[in-house]
Amino acid sequence: MLPTHFPTSDAIEGGVVSPAACRANRLDCQVAVKVITYQRVAWAIDTFAPYKSPGVDGIFPALLQEGREVLIPHLVKIFHACLATGYVPRIWRQVKVVFIPKPGRNTYCGPTDFRPISFTSFLLKTMERLVDRFLRNEVLALRPLHPNQHADQVGKSVDTALHQLVVWVEKALDQQEIALGVFLDIEGAFNNTSYDSMCAALTRREVDRTIIRWIRATLEGRLAAATLGDISRSVVVTRGCPQGGVLAPLL
């Protein structure tokens, strides 16, 4: 399953070395302070259900929520440093993968009959939530996505996409025209997207270099581990973004 859902990944034994942090300049620090504040960290923590399944560090959102007064001042400093230097701690890069059966299948005999869900640290997810909020409120407010993009957009869904399609077809029928539909299924979009393409899209929307560098750091060097019975396997992921990650749908 791991080679199918994490193409071009490399099987390894043991851990993976995290890339070193970059030297932060004044601009990097200014971006970090703009994206991460005490109030936003508190908000991000509260967006998670208290007992969602944790990553390999075992930290539940409830632990962060109940200890907010003690933890948030320290988290703000850690998040500032991570974003400004483009660094992601090694344990945040470790991903616990669980394969969930896809609904509506007649059989579950092959790897593609399952969907890989990645459980990452909620400390990383908190930072992702902050960056996601900044991108949506600051960047996409000025350079929005195409209006026909319905997935993962506020106020839009599969229902709105289907409604728009039905309107087009009915209009063609009413005017006695021909409606031509082309349907394309992109297999494994989450798993196959290259890091370069995601970072290039961020660059085209003029996202700060500091943020792009940190996002790339969250993607590179991820160690995905899956367990079946007494057997465990790990791979270093070389493309795609984790299903279950906060930033993944937007990327």
Side-chain angles (χ1 to χ4, degrees):
M1 284 188 174
L2 285 173
T4 298
H5 292 286
F6 298 95
T8 73
S9 59
D10 301 317
I12 65 164
E13 298 293 338
V16 59
V17 178
S18 300
C22 302
R23 183 180 295 275
N25 56 33
R26 176 182 291 183
L27 178 60
D28 294 326
C29 295
Q30 289 175 346
V31 171
V33 170
K34 182 168 58 174
V35 174
I36 299 163
T37 65
Y38 184 101
Q39 291 76 16
R40 289 182 178 179
V41 172
W43 163 82
I45 291 174
D46 285 337
T47 61
F48 300 114
Y51 297 103
K52 292 281 287 185
S53 298
V56 296
D57 56 12
I59 297 177
F60 290 86
L63 299 175
L64 303 176
Q65 293 162 356
E66 295 298 327
R68 67 175 66 242
E69 294 183 2
V70 175
L71 295 174
I72 292 179
H74 299 289
L75 291 178
V76 170
K77 294 179 182 179
I78 293 172
F79 293 163
H80 278 166
C82 288
L83 184 56
T85 60
Y87 179 72
V88 178
R90 181 183 301 178
I91 196 169
W92 293 6
R93 297 172 184 268
Q94 297 179 21
V95 181
K96 180 171 62 176
V97 178
V98 176
F99 294 99
I100 306 297
K102 293 181 179 179
R105 299 297 175 99
N106 294 326
T107 61
Y108 294 94
C109 301
T112 56
D113 295 324
F114 298 83
R115 187 185 310 280
I117 301 299
S118 299
F119 294 101
T120 55
S121 170
F122 272 98
L123 296 177
L124 174 63
K125 287 186 176 181
T126 300
M127 268 203 74
E128 285 187 290
R129 188 77 80 193
L130 296 171
V131 173
D132 182 80
R133 172 178 172 172
F134 180 81
L135 292 178
R136 293 179 187 277
N137 292 351
E138 303 292 334
V139 177
L140 295 184
L142 299 176
R143 302 171 187 84
L145 299 178
H146 194 281
N148 288 341
Q149 170 70 23
H150 288 260
D152 197 51
Q153 299 299 302
V154 176
K156 294 184 177 182
S157 65
V158 173
D159 291 337
T160 61
L162 291 174
H163 175 72
Q164 182 172 318
L165 176 62
V166 170
V167 169
W168 287 338
V169 172
E170 289 181 342
K171 181 179 179 181
L173 293 174
D174 289 341
Q175 298 180 0
Q176 296 183 340
E177 297 176 342
I178 296 176
L180 175 64
V182 179
F183 299 87
L184 174 67
D185 179 21
I186 302 177
E187 183 178 1
F190 273 90
N191 303 330
N192 290 284
T193 307
S194 70
Y195 301 154
D196 288 341
S197 66
M198 288 184 276
C199 292
L202 293 167
T203 300
R204 287 195 298 272
R205 283 190 157 70
E206 300 183 16
V207 177
D208 289 300
R209 178 190 62 87
T210 306
I211 295 176
I212 297 177
R213 182 177 63 187
W214 183 82
I215 289 176
R216 185 162 195 132
T218 68
L219 300 171
E220 291 182 336
R222 281 178 291 134
L223 179 64
T227 300
L228 179 62
D230 297 331
I231 303 175
S232 296
R233 292 290 184 270
S234 299
V235 296
V236 176
V237 184
T238 57
R239 63 190 304 141
C241 46
Q243 297 192 48
V246 175
L247 272 173
L250 182 60
L251 294 177

